[in-house]
Amino acid sequence: QTWTIPASVVTYLGSNNTVAHLYQLANNALGRVYIPSGNNPSLTDINNAVDIINNAFDGCRQLVSISNTSGSRLASESASPGLTGSVTVFPNPFRDQVAVRIDSEKTGQLEIALYSITGERVALVQQGEITTAGMNEFRFDSIGIPSGIYLCKVILGNEMSIQRVVLSRE
């Protein structure tokens, strides 16, 4: 599959941009630090670029190529599947508390953690063993964590799921 990132975002970020730079721009836009003006990217362009990154690597897809010849294009392909069953993180965006619901026939060692866009673990939500298959739900209070875009990583046994979540205190 191929995705095209809006040219205004690529131009604004410059030639040595990274996904972390894009997520920082999105965090700044969410926190109203970045205000679109002139030829700079609109909030819609920023949102579309973040959505493209998230969709391009959904399901553990791997990067195949990047092209700047006709806009900025990403190509990716599927790798190994994610978690068997489903993971739901809600509400999203959230303010003070978020729930992680896992519906899986698997049992085993579980770790749920929240990561910043730079890959730093911000919080350990849950760690232990799931001994009952089916629906399991865990809640997390976000006290002391600033507004922004985070990744909720769920590892059950040898399977993993990553969900993008937005913490908004406004």
Side-chain angles (χ1 to χ4, degrees), residues 1 57 62-66 74-78:
Q1 290 181 294
F57 296 103
Q62 298 173 347
L63 179 66
V64 174
S65 66
I66 298 175
L74 291 176
S76 65
E77 62 185 23
S78 294

mmCIF file of all heavy atoms in Angstrom, residues 1 57 62-66 74-78:
data_model
loop_
_atom_site.group_PDB
_atom_site.id
_atom_site.type_symbol
_atom_site.label_atom_id
_atom_site.label_comp_id
_atom_site.label_asym_id
_atom_site.label_seq_id
_atom_site.Cartn_x
_atom_site.Cartn_y
_atom_site.Cartn_z
ATOM 1 N N GLN A 1 0.836 -1.174 0.000
ATOM 2 C CA GLN A 1 0.000 0.000 0.000
ATOM 3 C C GLN A 1 0.883 1.240 0.000
ATOM 4 O O GLN A 1 1.986 1.222 0.507
ATOM 5 C CB GLN A 1 -0.888 0.022 1.234
ATOM 6 C CG GLN A 1 -1.965 -1.039 1.219
ATOM 7 C CD GLN A 1 -2.829 -0.949 2.444
ATOM 8 O OE1 GLN A 1 -2.364 -1.180 3.537
ATOM 9 N NE2 GLN A 1 -4.083 -0.582 2.242
ATOM 10 N N PHE A 57 1.613 1.979 9.287
ATOM 11 C CA PHE A 57 2.331 1.000 10.103
ATOM 12 C C PHE A 57 1.411 0.186 10.997
ATOM 13 O O PHE A 57 1.860 -0.541 11.867
ATOM 14 C CB PHE A 57 3.421 1.706 10.919
ATOM 15 C CG PHE A 57 4.461 2.311 10.024
ATOM 16 C CD1 PHE A 57 4.464 3.670 9.774
ATOM 17 C CD2 PHE A 57 5.390 1.515 9.387
ATOM 18 C CE1 PHE A 57 5.398 4.227 8.910
ATOM 19 C CE2 PHE A 57 6.323 2.067 8.524
ATOM 20 C CZ PHE A 57 6.330 3.429 8.288
ATOM 21 N N GLN A 62 5.764 -2.995 7.752
ATOM 22 C CA GLN A 62 7.143 -2.542 7.698
ATOM 23 C C GLN A 62 7.332 -1.572 6.540
ATOM 24 O O GLN A 62 6.726 -1.736 5.482
ATOM 25 C CB GLN A 62 8.084 -3.734 7.528
ATOM 26 C CG GLN A 62 8.001 -4.696 8.695
ATOM 27 C CD GLN A 62 8.800 -5.959 8.440
ATOM 28 O OE1 GLN A 62 9.229 -6.236 7.332
ATOM 29 N NE2 GLN A 62 8.989 -6.738 9.482
ATOM 30 N N LEU A 63 8.216 -0.595 6.734
ATOM 31 C CA LEU A 63 8.518 0.380 5.696
ATOM 32 C C LEU A 63 9.228 -0.308 4.544
ATOM 33 O O LEU A 63 10.183 -1.047 4.733
ATOM 34 C CB LEU A 63 9.404 1.493 6.258
ATOM 35 C CG LEU A 63 9.834 2.577 5.277
ATOM 36 C CD1 LEU A 63 8.623 3.373 4.822
ATOM 37 C CD2 LEU A 63 10.856 3.484 5.916
ATOM 38 N N VAL A 64 8.750 -0.044 3.340
ATOM 39 C CA VAL A 64 9.374 -0.589 2.138
ATOM 40 C C VAL A 64 10.167 0.497 1.442
ATOM 41 O O VAL A 64 11.310 0.296 1.060
ATOM 42 C CB VAL A 64 8.314 -1.183 1.179
ATOM 43 C CG1 VAL A 64 8.947 -1.622 -0.124
ATOM 44 C CG2 VAL A 64 7.598 -2.340 1.842
ATOM 45 N N SER A 65 9.566 1.688 1.284
ATOM 46 C CA SER A 65 10.274 2.769 0.607
ATOM 47 C C SER A 65 9.642 4.103 0.929
ATOM 48 O O SER A 65 8.502 4.172 1.366
ATOM 49 C CB SER A 65 10.261 2.546 -0.911
ATOM 50 O OG SER A 65 8.938 2.641 -1.396
ATOM 51 N N ILE A 66 10.424 5.160 0.688
ATOM 52 C CA ILE A 66 9.953 6.534 0.800
ATOM 53 C C ILE A 66 10.360 7.228 -0.485
ATOM 54 O O ILE A 66 11.477 7.069 -0.963
ATOM 55 C CB ILE A 66 10.581 7.273 2.001
ATOM 56 C CG1 ILE A 66 10.193 6.592 3.303
ATOM 57 C CG2 ILE A 66 10.164 8.736 2.013
ATOM 58 C CD1 ILE A 66 10.867 7.199 4.524
ATOM 59 N N LEU A 74 4.853 7.063 1.290
ATOM 60 C CA LEU A 74 5.336 5.945 2.085
ATOM 61 C C LEU A 74 4.741 4.677 1.508
ATOM 62 O O LEU A 74 3.568 4.647 1.163
ATOM 63 C CB LEU A 74 4.842 6.046 3.537
ATOM 64 C CG LEU A 74 5.380 7.143 4.415
ATOM 65 C CD1 LEU A 74 4.668 7.100 5.753
ATOM 66 C CD2 LEU A 74 6.860 6.971 4.622
ATOM 67 N N ALA A 75 5.522 3.632 1.440
ATOM 68 C CA ALA A 75 5.008 2.323 1.061
ATOM 69 C C ALA A 75 5.349 1.363 2.187
ATOM 70 O O ALA A 75 6.437 1.413 2.749
ATOM 71 C CB ALA A 75 5.630 1.857 -0.246
ATOM 72 N N SER A 76 4.395 0.504 2.547
ATOM 73 C CA SER A 76 4.649 -0.451 3.618
ATOM 74 C C SER A 76 3.985 -1.769 3.280
ATOM 75 O O SER A 76 3.126 -1.854 2.407
ATOM 76 C CB SER A 76 4.122 0.085 4.955
ATOM 77 O OG SER A 76 2.721 0.203 4.937
ATOM 78 N N GLU A 77 4.413 -2.811 3.982
ATOM 79 C CA GLU A 77 3.805 -4.122 3.785
ATOM 80 C C GLU A 77 3.598 -4.765 5.145
ATOM 81 O O GLU A 77 4.282 -4.435 6.116
ATOM 82 C CB GLU A 77 4.678 -5.011 2.896
ATOM 83 C CG GLU A 77 6.039 -5.298 3.464
ATOM 84 C CD GLU A 77 6.919 -6.090 2.507
ATOM 85 O OE1 GLU A 77 6.682 -6.056 1.294
ATOM 86 O OE2 GLU A 77 7.849 -6.738 2.995
ATOM 87 N N SER A 78 2.646 -5.687 5.215
ATOM 88 C CA SER A 78 2.320 -6.329 6.477
ATOM 89 C C SER A 78 3.438 -7.256 6.919
ATOM 90 O O SER A 78 4.059 -7.935 6.110
ATOM 91 C CB SER A 78 1.020 -7.123 6.358
ATOM 92 O OG SER A 78 -0.050 -6.245 6.142
#
